[in-house]
Amino acid sequence: MDVWQLIERDHENIGSLIRDIPYALNARRSVGSRERMLADLIDELELHARAIGASLYGPLSRDSQTRALTEDLRNGHAEVTRQLQQLARYRRRDSAGWLNTFEDVTFLVDQHLHRHVHELIPAARKLLSAEETGAATRAFVRAKTSALQARRRGARAGAMSSEVAMIATLAGVAAGLGYLVWNRGGFGGSRSGRAVDHGERVSRQAVRPMPR
C-alpha cells in the first residue's frame, strides 16, 4: 500500500468508529461504552494526524502554494480534537443530548477528512515525484509505528480503552510495512516471494490480540 491507500484506510477506520458509537447508546452501561469508543476515535484521529504530518505536511509546507493549506489543516485538527475532548467530559446521561452534540462534532470531523481527500491529496499528488511519494509512504508508516508502540506501552498499563481500534490500526500499518518490504525488494534484494512472505508475517503478527 502507498501513502494514498494508507490514508484511505485510516479514513475508513475513523468512519467506522463514528458510525458505531451511536449503537453503544443502546447497550448496557451505554455511558461507559460511548466514552471508551469516543476515546478510541480521538486516538485514531491523533494517529492519523501524526502520520499525515510526518509524510505530507513537511514537503507541502515548504511550497508557497500549499503552505497555507497545511497550516489550516493543522488548525482544523486541533479544533476537532478540542471539541471531541470537550464531548468526552460531557457527564449528562441524556442520550439524545449527547448524541446531538456528537453528530455536530463528527460533522466537523467529516469535513476535515473531506479536505484531506479533495484538497491535501490532490495537491500532494501534483507536487510530489514518485521518489518523494515513496519517502512519504515510509514516513507515514514510521510515524504510525512509533505512535503505536507508545500506545501499546500505555495499553499494558491499562490506558487503552479498546483492543478493536488498536487491531484495526495495526493491520493498516502492517499493510504499509508489507508495501515497503515489497517496494524495496526485501530490504535490498529482488522483489521475490520472500518479501511477500515477510509482509504477510508482519500482518499476521500485527493483528494478534495484545497480551493482557
Side-chain angles (χ1 to χ4, degrees), residues 51-166:
I52 288 281
S55 59
L56 298 183
Y57 284 176
L60 267 64
S61 65
R62 291 191 290 271
D63 187 275
S64 60
Q65 295 183 333
T66 51
R67 188 178 301 122
L69 172 63
T70 60
E71 186 62 27
D72 198 25
L73 289 173
R74 287 183 192 275
N75 292 336
H77 169 74
E79 176 60 20
V80 163
T81 300
R82 185 190 69 78
Q83 294 206 31
L84 284 170
Q85 290 173 340
Q86 184 175 343
L87 182 60
R89 294 190 292 269
Y90 190 96
R91 288 292 176 260
R92 287 184 58 190
R93 293 177 178 268
D94 174 8
S95 295
W98 190 93
L99 186 57
N100 288 338
T101 306
F102 173 79
E103 289 175 350
D104 290 342
V105 177
T106 52
F107 176 72
L108 295 180
V109 175
D110 287 340
Q111 285 186 316
H112 183 65
L113 299 184
H114 184 272
R115 293 194 68 190
H116 282 182
V117 173
H118 295 280
E119 296 180 50
L120 178 69
I121 291 176
R125 281 183 177 274
K126 183 178 178 181
L127 181 67
L128 301 183
S129 65
E131 250 181 54
E132 289 169 327
T133 298
T137 301
R138 293 189 290 274
F140 190 101
V141 173
R142 282 196 301 268
K144 290 202 79 172
T145 302
S146 176
L148 280 166
Q149 287 171 345
R151 281 179 68 180
R152 292 192 71 169
R153 288 193 291 271
R156 292 191 186 103
M160 183 73 176
S161 60
S162 170
E163 290 185 3
V164 175
M166 172 71 83

Side-chain angles (χ1 to χ4, degrees), residues 185-196:
F187 294 116
S190 63
R191 291 179 178 177
S192 64
R194 236 180 10 219
V196 175

